[in-house]
Structures are given as structure tokens and as C-alpha cells.
């Protein structure tokens, strides 16, 4: 299910709207409630495509030299590409232009084509995890020492991954830097929300990631409070918890403007932990720099300027502190979007306000 399709099932209720101190931009805190009961499907057409792509990926990794893997990703991305352009390119381009400004149709098509190739390479990386004879990719983690130092204080730390294509490598990248972490993810984590997909290739994806994690904290529908308690206890033990900012990441969100006319929705949970519990928060992006070989993780610590005195108007002050931190996260993401637009996974979701869309 795409980000656009997922948000169509929800309605937004504004809790607070304001301009954070020192900023002209409007921040909105809203609660998201489900308005459509999403029927669980057993099998979808996209599941069949996924089976073919993953079968090809496993075969390529097992039988072909690494130099041919890139050809495979280009070949698969090119199959029925015109159909995907007709279906997805308009919304994709709307998101790109909302953030980056005027971009030619040719450039949008190029970004879209490269993006689809990265999606295939993500499948190849999963296949390589199950082939013990292949050399794993190399990672360069910028900001690792700052993360280690922050975690030493005893409150743990949150690594909040931007939803670039390779965000699922977070645990592997951190472990390569000598950092053990736990991961928060939805019960539908993977490539499909169908019964078949969850039992097959979703399971493969989870197994590939789990070998680099201390623990996976899984939450399903209506389990927000229980997973929040588990996150709190994990952080209280001084551990590092990673999570991704996507449509499954909670019920309360912060929306901020981004770029020319875009709107960025952020789950409030990581920001709330940072503000109320003083947990260090790091924004993370994982970028491919050499195809299927070298990846960079960029960790940016988000300063927390909330005051220690928690007297009157606590909730209002917390909201403003969350918004100020959210703006800094937004700024980091905006810089990375300009550098690596072809590796971002949720361009459609940046084209419009989730609140207006959900209410309409």
C-alpha cells in the first residue's frame, strides 16, 4: 500500500496550531483516526510481481557475478515502466516539485526511473543476506561517536530514520559502527499488507534485518500504548531504539511546511520522548554511494532546548518544543532530499497537507 493510499483511510483532527518562537512557519499538531476499515486481503496482483522480482533477485545473487546485478535492477525497473509512469508519475512529480520547486518533466522522469531501480536493488540486498558466500556491503556512519556519547548518559537514544529506500539498513549500519540497537516496526513491515505477502517475502525482509538487531519491537493496530511502554523501558535501560517516520508510526502527528509548497507529517512519538523524557534524538538518512557496495549513514543530533521548569501551560510548551525540534529534523531532511532525490521513498506524501487531504 502506498503512502497516498494509506492516508486516504484516515481523518485528521487538529489539536494545536501555532508558530514556534522565532519561526514564521505554522506548525500543526493533529490526531489521526481511521475512517475506513481496511479489509485484509489474502493475495494481490502486486504480490505476484513481488514474487517474480525476488525470485530473480535471489537467482541473480546466487548465480551471477556482482557486475551483472546492476543490469538486473535496470532490466526489472524497465519492465512495464510506461505503465508505472501512467499510474504513479503524476503524484510522484507533484511531490518532487512541491519540495524542490520547478523541475522539468525530463528530470522528474529520470528521478522516477532511478528511484524504481533503487527499489529493485533493495531486493537484491535482501537476497544477498541469504547467500553466505557474498561479501556484505560497507558502511560509513557519520555521527556515530556523537550517538555513542549521547547514549552513555543513561537515557538511551532514538535514531529516527528518514524514509529513504535503504532505511531498512539502519540496524546493519549501526552495528557496523559498533552500536547495538532495537527497532520499532509495524506488524505489516515489508513489501505487502496481504496475508500471503506477510507470510512470505515480508518474513524474508524481517529475517534479513533482524540478524543486526538486539530486538524488534512490533506493534499492530490499536497497540500504540503497549509499544510506547516497551520503547520507554528499552530507553530507560540505556539502549538505542530506531524507528522510521512513515504512515504507520502512531496516531498523533506534527505537520510542517517543507520546500516550496510541500507538507511533511512527522509522528509525534519520538519528539514526545525527546521533549518530555529528555531522550537524545538523532535524525538519520542512509544513502547508497556505490551501487550495492557502499552506503553512508548520516546521523544528525537534534538539539533539545525545552526548559526544565514544567509549571503552567506544560502541554502548550511541549508542543512548541516538539515543533522546534521537528523543524530541525525537517531541515536535515530537506538538505538530503536536494542531494539524493532519487533515493527518497515517499515523494507522493509530500505533495499536500495530510490534514486537508484526510478531511476532504
Amino acid at each position: 500500500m502506498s503512502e497516498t493510499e494509506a492516508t486516504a483511510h484516515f481523518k485528521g483532527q487538529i489539536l494545536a496550531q501555532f508558530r514556534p518562537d522565532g519561526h514564521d512557519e505554522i506548525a500543526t499538531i493533529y490526531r489521526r483516526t481511521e475512517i475506513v476499515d481496511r479489509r485484509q486481503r489474502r493475495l494481490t496482483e502486486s504480490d505476484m510481481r513481488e514474487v517474480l522480482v525476488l525470485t530473480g533477485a535471489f537467482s541473480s545473487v546466487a548465480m551471477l557475478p556482482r557486475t551483472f546485478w546492476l543490469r538486473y535492477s535496470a532490466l526489472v525497473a524497465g519492465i512495464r515502466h510506461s505503465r508505472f509512469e501512467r499510474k504513479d508519475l503524476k503524484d510522484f512529480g507533484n511531490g518532487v516539485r512541491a519540495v524542490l520547486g520547478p523541475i522539468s518533466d525530463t528530470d522528474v522522469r529520470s528521478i522516477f526511473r532511478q528511484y524504481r531501480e533503487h527499489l529493485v536493488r533493495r531486493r537484491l540486498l535482501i537476497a544477498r543476506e541469504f547467500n553466505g558466500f557474498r561479501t556484505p556491503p560497507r558502511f560509513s556512519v557519520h555521527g556515530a561517536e556523537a550517538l555513542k556519547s549521547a547514549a552513555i548518559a543513561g537515557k538511551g537514544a532514538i535514531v529516527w530514520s528518514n524514509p529513504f529506500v535503504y532505511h531498512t539498513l539502519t540496524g546493519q549500519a549501526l552495528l557496523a559502527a559498533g552500536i547495538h540497537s532495537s527497532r520499532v516496526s509495524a506488524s505489516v513491515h515489508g513489501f505487502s499488507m496481504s496475508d500471503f505477502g506477510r507470510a512470505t517475502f515480508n518474513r524474508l525482509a524481517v529475517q534479513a534485518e533482524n540478524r543486526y538487531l538486539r530486538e524488534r519491537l512490533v506493534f499492530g493496530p490499536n497497540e500504540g500504548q503497549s509499544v510506547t511502554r516497551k520503547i520507554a523501558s528499552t530507553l530507560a535501560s540505556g539502549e538505542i531504539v530506531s524507528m522510521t517516520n512513515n504512515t504507520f508510526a502512531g496516531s498523533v502527528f506534527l505537520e510542517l511546511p517543507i520546500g516550496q509548497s510541500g507538507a511533511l507529517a512527522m509522528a509525534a512519538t519520538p519528539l514526545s520522548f525527546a521533549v518530555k523524557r529528555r531522550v537524545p534524538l538523532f535524525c538519520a538518512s542512509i544513502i547508497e554511494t556505490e551501487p550495492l557496495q557502499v552506503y553512508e549513514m548520516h546521523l544528525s543530533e537534534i538539539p533539545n532546548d525545552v526548559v526544565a521548569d514544567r509549571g503552567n501551560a506544560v502541554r502548550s510548551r511541549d508542543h512548541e518544543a516538539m515543533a522546534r525540534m521537528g523543524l530541525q529534523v525537517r531541515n536535515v531532511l530537506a538538505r538530503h532530499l536536494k542531494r539524493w532525490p532519487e533515493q527518497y521513498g515517499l515523494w507522493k506524501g509530500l505533495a499536500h497537507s495530510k490534514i486537508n487531504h484526510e478531511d476532504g
Side-chain angles (χ1 to χ4, degrees), residues 63-188:
M63 297 185 294
L64 298 177
R66 190 177 62 240
T67 53
F68 285 88
W69 297 357
L70 274 180
R71 298 184 188 179
Y72 174 78
S73 65
L75 173 65
V76 172
I79 296 175
R80 304 180 76 186
H81 181 69
S82 59
R83 177 183 181 274
F84 284 102
E85 278 196 340
R86 290 193 301 271
K87 179 183 176 184
D88 298 326
L89 184 61
K90 181 180 178 180
D91 289 339
F92 184 92
N94 288 341
V96 172
R97 291 187 172 104
V99 177
L100 302 183
I103 294 181
S104 69
D105 291 345
T106 299
D107 288 341
V108 169
R109 285 193 173 93
S110 176
I111 293 171
F112 183 66
R113 177 60 181 258
Q114 292 177 70
Y115 161 69
R116 295 197 65 239
E117 291 185 19
H118 281 291
L119 292 179
V120 179
R121 296 214 280 273
R122 178 180 169 189
R123 274 72 172 171
L124 285 164
L125 289 174
I126 292 173
R128 179 158 60 178
E129 284 299 317
F130 293 91
N131 189 313
F133 298 100
R134 297 297 186 181
T135 304
R138 302 188 303 275
F139 291 91
S140 177
V141 182
H142 305 280
E145 293 307 315
L147 176 59
K148 292 177 183 178
S149 299
I152 291 175
K155 294 184 178 180
I158 293 174
V159 174
W160 202 12
S161 301
N162 292 317
F164 285 85
V165 171
Y166 302 103
H167 72 87
T168 54
L169 300 178
T170 296
Q172 189 173 358
L174 290 174
L175 192 60
I179 301 171
H180 294 271
S181 64
S182 297
R183 181 80 168 169
V184 179
S185 67
S187 58
V188 292

Side-chain angles (χ1 to χ4, degrees), residues 18 22 44 93 100 102-103 153 192 202 231 326 342 349 359:
F18 50 89
T44 66
L100 302 183
I103 294 181
S192 173
N202 279 16
I231 294 171
E342 74 285 350
D359 285 342

Side-chain angles (χ1 to χ4, degrees), residues 139-328:
F139 291 91
S140 177
V141 182
H142 305 280
E145 293 307 315
L147 176 59
K148 292 177 183 178
S149 299
I152 291 175
K155 294 184 178 180
I158 293 174
V159 174
W160 202 12
S161 301
N162 292 317
F164 285 85
V165 171
Y166 302 103
H167 72 87
T168 54
L169 300 178
T170 296
Q172 189 173 358
L174 290 174
L175 192 60
I179 301 171
H180 294 271
S181 64
S182 297
R183 181 80 168 169
V184 179
S185 67
S187 58
V188 292
H189 177 70
F191 304 119
S192 173
M193 294 183 68
S194 71
D195 292 336
F196 174 79
R198 293 171 67 179
T200 53
F201 36 78
N202 279 16
R203 183 173 295 178
L204 287 175
V206 169
Q207 288 175 355
E209 296 171 35
N210 280 354
R211 60 186 61 186
Y212 301 104
L213 300 176
R214 187 187 299 275
E215 183 181 9
R216 182 178 292 274
L217 310 177
V218 180
F219 65 93
N222 304 316
E223 293 181 347
Q225 291 186 346
S226 61
V227 75
T228 299
R229 288 194 294 269
K230 181 62 175 175
I231 294 171
S233 64
T234 303
L235 291 170
S237 64
E239 297 182 22
I240 292 171
V241 174
S242 70
M243 58 186 73
T244 303
N245 186 31
N246 57 31
T247 191
F248 299 104
S251 60
V252 178
F253 286 76
L254 168 69
E255 184 175 277
L256 296 166
I258 183 170
Q260 297 287 312
S261 60
L264 173 65
M266 301 180 182
T269 300
L271 297 169
S272 179
F273 272 107
V275 169
K276 297 179 182 179
R277 300 173 185 258
R278 308 290 294 177
V279 175
L281 177 65
F282 286 76
C283 178
S285 297
I286 297 184
I287 304 299
E288 183 184 77
T289 56
E290 292 184 28
L292 298 166
Q293 289 305 301
V294 182
Y295 295 84
E296 290 184 355
M297 183 181 210
H298 297 267
L299 288 167
S300 303
E301 186 170 8
I302 306 301
N304 187 348
D305 61 355
V306 66
V307 295
D309 177 24
R310 301 181 61 81
N312 296 328
V314 168
R315 174 168 298 188
S316 175
R317 191 163 61 247
D318 285 349
H319 282 170
E320 289 217 24
M322 290 165 60
R324 287 195 298 272
M325 295 188 75
L327 284 166
Q328 295 177 73

